Amino acid sequence: MLELRLVQGSLLKKVLESIKDLVNDANFDFSSSGFSLQSMDSSHVALVALLLKSEGFEHYRCDRNTSMGMNLGNMSKMLKCAGNDDIITIKGDDGSDTVTFMFESPTQDKIADFEMKLMDIDSEHLGIPEAEYHAIVKMPSAEFARICKDLASIGDTVVISVTKEGVKFSTRGDIGTANIVLRQNTTVDKPEDATVIEMNEPVSMTFALRYMNSFTKATPLSNTVTISMSPDLPVVVEYKIAEMGYVRFYLAPKMEE
Amino acid sequence: PCLQRKILDYFKDD
């Protein structure tokens, strides 16, 4: 028996919108502490890791650990039928090949049930090692999205370099080059507007902008984004989901041949 | 010319 009631249903809608273009199918792993998802994109260049902890739900019941394979495109179609103010409940029964999404309007005058077929997904689960990163940049998520969008109009890859001067995003393409430098800026009215650079050692890495732009679909989930880099690891682009968990995107770098 | 690395180059199967 599985029953999860999320008053802020729009959160689940936003989570799906942030990952559905990167990953087609994924196993949702439910346990008593919450649910998680880990999946690579089809070309095995990026990985998404989602965690939503049980504390964030108004009601959370999961009698035994269970994994449900879902097509994220189909799940997104169903969740789009929920209003932004709706309460969403996810229900499942042991051994069933379907999951039910229930949408309740805030005034309880409209209640909808959507039953979705589950699928068997043979997915690899990867061990992500704990790591000390050379540099961690925390910045407004909207600013990061703007930079990725702007640079993608010039080139295909972005070089992200962190030094004690700041963080530099660079690209080059047929029409020219672009460099955007952000300096640490903590003297802002609101903490979410700050750019904070923690640097143990300078680092410079190259990434495909196509993936970075896909990650920025998670911007509505959080005012800030954290970018963690070490030369021998995929970059981690993390959007925290207030009091509930996170969506993390891992992206393997491009290397000089 | 840059070579796109894969996630599996860094993270291993559990």
Side-chain angles (χ1 to χ4, degrees):
Chain A
M1 170 80 183
L2 179 77
E3 196 168 286
L4 289 62
R5 190 168 195 264
L6 184 62
V7 171
Q8 205 187 335
S10 60
L11 212 60
L12 196 61
K13 287 160 68 83
K14 288 177 192 168
V15 166
L16 253 289
E17 288 313 295
S18 75
I19 62 176
K20 75 171 169 62
D21 295 333
L22 197 63
V23 173
N24 296 327
D25 309 311
N27 281 317
F28 285 72
D29 298 316
F30 296 91
S31 75
S32 55
S33 60
F35 77 86
S36 62
L37 170 156
Q38 190 203 84
S39 186
M40 281 185 281
D41 79 300
S42 58
S43 45
H44 292 193
V45 168
L47 179 143
V48 54
L50 162 71
L51 174 70
L52 290 177
K53 291 184 275 192
S54 57
E55 299 95 276
F57 293 82
E58 188 205 30
H59 167 74
Y60 190 101
R61 178 177 170 186
C62 175
D63 295 343
R64 65 182 186 92
N65 291 1
T66 183
S67 189
M68 290 185 182
M70 302 194 206
N71 175 285
L72 299 190
N74 293 345
M75 187 176 172
S76 163
K77 279 182 195 168
M78 293 205 165
L79 292 184
K80 275 189 177 159
C81 301
N84 278 331
D85 301 328
D86 280 2
I87 299 160
I88 298 181
T89 302
I90 303 175
K91 288 189 203 177
D93 286 315
D94 287 347
S96 169
D97 58 358
T98 61
V99 61
T100 299
F101 303 110
M102 191 173 91
F103 311 141
E104 295 167 70
S105 67
T107 49
Q108 305 284 314
D109 51 2
K110 180 180 171 190
I111 296 171
D113 274 282
F114 287 70
E115 192 179 78
M116 189 178 79
K117 291 176 188 161
L118 296 176
M119 53 199 299
D120 283 325
I121 299 166
D122 196 17
S123 76
E124 302 159 274
H125 202 271
L126 301 181
I128 301 171
E130 284 288 315
E132 291 279 322
Y133 286 93
H134 278 39
I136 300 173
V137 177
K138 181 166 166 271
M139 61 186 285
S141 58
E143 181 67 74
F144 179 63
R146 172 72 198 262
I147 289 171
C148 291
K149 181 169 163 277
D150 287 350
L151 294 187
S153 67
I154 313 288
D156 297 328
T157 60
V158 58
V159 179
I160 307 179
S161 308
V162 184
T163 62
K164 61 180 188 311
E165 276 77 45
V167 53
K168 183 166 79 169
F169 302 86
S170 309
T171 194
R172 63 174 58 241
D174 293 341
I175 63 168
T177 62
N179 295 292
I180 299 169
V181 178
L182 296 186
R183 294 211 177 84
Q184 171 147 296
N185 174 16
T186 52
T187 55
V188 288
D189 292 340
K190 290 182 273 177
E192 63 261 34
D193 292 336
T195 299
V196 183
I197 298 168
E198 274 177 55
M199 191 200 75
N200 298 317
E201 284 183 60
V203 58
S204 180
M205 297 172 76
T206 304
F207 303 100
L209 274 167
R210 185 167 69 84
Y211 286 98
M212 286 292 182
N213 266 310
S214 175
F215 303 163
T216 62
K217 291 187 175 143
T219 304
L221 282 170
S222 179
N223 289 324
T224 61
V225 61
T226 307
I227 303 158
S228 304
M229 295 203 299
S230 268
D232 45 358
L233 283 173
V235 62
V236 191
V237 179
E238 180 183 62
Y239 295 85
K240 282 205 162 60
I241 303 169
E243 280 137 51
M244 281 202 84
Y246 55 76
V247 181
R248 285 181 189 152
F249 300 99
Y250 296 82
L251 177 60
K254 293 188 132 200
M255 297 287 197
E256 292 289 336
E257 279 194 88
Chain B
C2 278
L3 175 71
Q4 174 65 66
R5 303 300 298 266
K6 305 274 186 187
I7 285 291
L8 294 168
D9 298 338
Y10 302 91
F11 300 160
K12 295 280 175 267
D13 275 336
D14 260 356

